[in-house]
Amino acid sequence: MGSSHHHHHHSQGSPELRRFSYGQLAAATNSFDQGNVIGSSNLSTVYKGVLAGDADGGMVVAVKRLNLEQFPSKSDKCFLTELATLSRLRHKNLARVVGYAWEAGKIKALVLDYMVNGDLDGAIHGGAAAPPPAPSRWTVRERLRVCVSVAHGLVYLHSGYDFPVVHCAVKPSNVLLDGDWEARVSDFGTARMLGVHLPAAANAAAQSTATSSAFRGTVGYMAPEFAYMRTVSTKVDVFSFGVLAMELFTGRRPTGTIEEDGVPLTLQQLVDNAVSRGLDGVHAVLDPRMKVATEADLSTAADVLAVALSCAAFEPADRPDMGAVLSSLLKMSKLVGED
């Protein structure tokens, strides 16, 4: 695999990442105006921005401004190391990082390609940031296509580079949809900018505080070994991918309450019960807004859910790797075919 090509990159640095000033990004976002906010978490706020200047000709970007309290100055080295990695990760199913801003005490931000169709969370559940997709978008085939695209992006992160890049926060709000409704994984790297990827022993105290505050919001998607022991491997992302696929096909959030006969269930349990009851069981839990036109549609949805369940296995060793997941999904998409 082209290792020489990677090393060539390293020596060159990354000329393609532009450094923006605080002033340029303030100008682009109307002084970080609340009306331009397209997403926020306790880690960051994302603004829609328009770059001024002749070179850019009004290029629309997403400016992701990191919350400085969550990114203390001791994470500066992580931030810069991570930027170097991000600038070299290039794949059609990853959101492209255009540049960054970094002025001590004032701003840390990433500048990304703006995705016109918002994120997958909004597309599944309806969100303010983007118009809901036409129902025809949400066929079994279209949803499978999203799964395939996300899997492609994760396979690249896990194996396309000198070392595996673990995303750590795969969830629908971190999957963006471009003008062709092609899914692109975003926000890889933010976890690592906090130093989350350091081995637990090396940095236990700093790490547990950083991660516990940073990842409060993603519990439904978080692999048990990551949530409790902070062990990070690519299998963390496989787990989250499984949950995301279940959410995409059932229309139910893993963080919501689900009850069957008065008994509270996790999304995994709901799907597991459904799959064990066969196609009728599966049909009953699918997103009611998804057109299931044919028997082939239904059995494909059942196959996706079965793969998703294997991804969300409790033990990391019982989960497939993303390469195996991708090849299963690609086989299914050949069967569904085009209209």
Side-chain angles (χ1 to χ4, degrees):
M1 201 28 224
S3 59
S4 59
H5 149 88
H6 287 314
H7 296 303
H8 173 64
H9 267 319
H10 285 280
S11 56
Q12 286 207 315
S14 42
E16 61 273 64
L17 261 203
R18 293 168 51 185
R19 184 166 186 171
F20 293 90
S21 68
Y22 176 88
Q24 284 171 305
L25 297 187
T29 57
N30 192 10
S31 304
F32 299 100
D33 183 65
Q34 203 48 43
N36 287 337
V37 172
I38 49 178
S40 68
S41 71
N42 52 340
L43 289 188
S44 63
T45 306
V46 184
Y47 300 84
K48 182 176 178 177
V50 180
L51 298 177
D54 306 332
D56 302 305
M59 177 181 173
V60 184
V61 292
V63 176
K64 179 176 181 185
R65 188 177 184 180
L66 304 182
N67 173 347
L68 292 178
E69 285 88 78
Q70 299 282 11
F71 294 83
S73 55
K74 63 173 186 290
S75 68
D76 284 351
K77 196 164 145 285
C78 281
F79 181 69
L80 292 172
T81 319
E82 207 44 45
L83 274 173
T85 305
L86 291 182
S87 69
R88 286 191 294 264
L89 295 174
R90 285 271 186 271
H91 187 276
K92 71 179 173 63
N93 296 117
L94 296 183
R96 190 171 70 95
V97 180
V98 179
Y100 70 101
W102 180 39
E103 292 175 23
K106 201 167 179 186
I107 190 169
K108 266 184 196 170
L110 298 175
V111 180
L112 304 155
D113 273 344
Y114 176 72
M115 293 289 146
V116 67
N117 284 312
D119 65 41
L120 189 58
D121 191 273
I124 301 171
H125 303 290
S136 60
R137 276 275 149 233
W138 281 138
T139 59
V140 170
R141 191 180 78 246
E142 284 286 345
R143 295 187 202 214
L144 177 54
R145 179 179 166 225
V146 168
C147 291
V148 166
S149 297
V150 173
H152 268 301
L154 291 176
V155 166
Y156 175 77
L157 285 178
H158 290 175
S159 53
Y161 188 58
D162 301 358
F163 53 85
V165 175
V166 182
H167 186 297
C168 290
V170 173
K171 52 181 174 172
S173 58
N174 284 336
V175 173
L176 306 180
L177 297 162
D178 69 16
D180 299 321
W181 296 91
E182 181 68 40
R184 294 168 179 250
V185 177
S186 89
D187 233 22
F188 46 95
T190 307
R192 300 154 50 92
M193 284 176 179
L194 283 167
V196 168
H197 62 311
L198 300 174
N203 183 16
Q207 195 168 343
S208 60
T209 53
T211 48
S212 56
S213 61
F215 289 101
R216 276 196 302 255
T218 54
V219 166
Y221 305 93
M222 204 191 294
E225 74 279 9
F226 186 38
Y228 299 113
M229 291 155 358
R230 301 281 172 231
T231 27
V232 178
S233 74
T234 54
K235 293 294 180 80
V236 162
D237 291 344
V238 175
F239 182 95
S240 304
F241 175 84
V243 176
L244 177 145
M246 291 183 224
E247 181 171 357
L248 179 54
F249 275 79
T250 63
R252 289 171 181 262
R253 294 184 191 276
T255 47
T257 41
I258 300 171
E259 285 199 356
E260 222 172 25
D261 307 323
V263 182
L265 296 179
T266 63
L267 180 55
Q268 292 90 304
Q269 289 167 326
L270 178 83
V271 169
D272 200 2
N273 294 349
V275 167
S276 64
R277 288 197 298 265
L279 290 183
D280 289 344
V282 168
H283 196 264
V285 296
L286 293 179
D287 183 345
R289 292 170 308 168
M290 178 167 68
K291 200 168 103 239
V292 181
T294 61
E295 191 74 17
D297 276 351
L298 182 55
S299 66
T300 300
D303 290 344
V304 172
L305 289 177
V307 168
L309 281 171
S310 70
C311 290
F314 186 85
E315 291 294 338
D318 295 338
R319 299 172 205 152
D321 61 33
M322 282 311 305
V325 172
L326 176 59
S327 48
S328 307
L329 294 172
L330 286 171
K331 284 196 189 88
M332 292 174 208
S333 38
K334 289 198 178 65
L335 297 172
V336 186
E338 301 298 313
D339 291 322

